[in-house]
Amino acid sequence: LPGGLHREELDRWLAPAPIGANLVTTRTSRYAGLLDPLVVDALDERDGVQLLAARPELSGAFDADAARRIVAAVGGHALALDVSGAYLTRTTSPTMAAFAADLEAPDSTLASGLGIDLGEELPSGHEASIALTFVRSISQLGDDAFLALTLAAHLGPMPLTIPVDLLVHSAE
């Protein structure tokens, strides 16, 4: 759920019938007064490594030390860990260790800028590393998937803002 929605905008995302149930996921705390929150903490090192190790495609190249470093670099952010695992299953370069090093010191201006833009919704201090996981994953999209993502950003019921520089960088 995007941050900053007003009550009437939020209502459009919810089931219209009182017999329906809603599960809203968001990293922002802006809706605490409007919805009953269930706070889910970041994954600890053990659970984060286990999430990465759960991908059978990584079994031959799994590096437990690099996995611990990846978990630390993204602050245990479950989605960033899952996206990292998916990225690593689709590439032979970089290795898990090289990817962990990239996340520990993200030198991408794009990732840093996105991290700043998403700062309120991401674990403090890990914004650029988390953004880098998404940049790397999006860069692997084929033309059809990239087109679908672009269309989803423009045609959804609520506008989805995907920074133009991310789309341009990913298409290169």
Side-chain angles (χ1 to χ4, degrees), residues 3-16:
L5 298 178
H6 299 287
R7 180 69 214 199
E8 54 277 355
E9 295 169 314
L10 175 63
D11 287 342
R12 286 188 236 151
W13 285 80
L14 303 177

Side-chain angles (χ1 to χ4, degrees), residues 147-162 164 167:
L147 178 59
L149 177 63
T150 304
L151 289 172
H154 291 287
L155 301 176
M158 298 292 292
L160 173 64
T161 303
I162 298 177
V164 172
L167 293 174

Side-chain angles (χ1 to χ4, degrees), residues 120-145:
E120 179 183 322
E121 299 174 24
L122 298 174
S124 179
H126 304 281
E127 297 86 357
S129 296
I130 292 170
L132 183 58
T133 65
F134 294 103
V135 169
R136 292 280 177 88
S137 179
I138 290 170
S139 72
Q140 290 181 322
L141 294 177
D143 291 341
D144 290 342

Side-chain angles (χ1 to χ4, degrees), residues 51-113:
L51 178 61
L52 289 170
R55 292 185 173 271
E57 306 92 338
L58 289 179
S59 62
F62 191 77
D63 177 337
D65 179 60
R68 284 189 289 278
R69 292 170 49 211
I70 291 168
V71 173
V74 300
H77 188 277
L79 181 57
L81 289 169
D82 193 46
V83 169
S84 295
Y87 169 74
L88 289 166
T89 63
R90 293 185 185 95
T91 186
T92 56
S93 175
T95 63
M96 281 187 82
F99 183 63
D102 289 348
L103 294 179
E104 290 167 333
D107 61 358
S108 165
T109 304
L110 174 63
S112 296

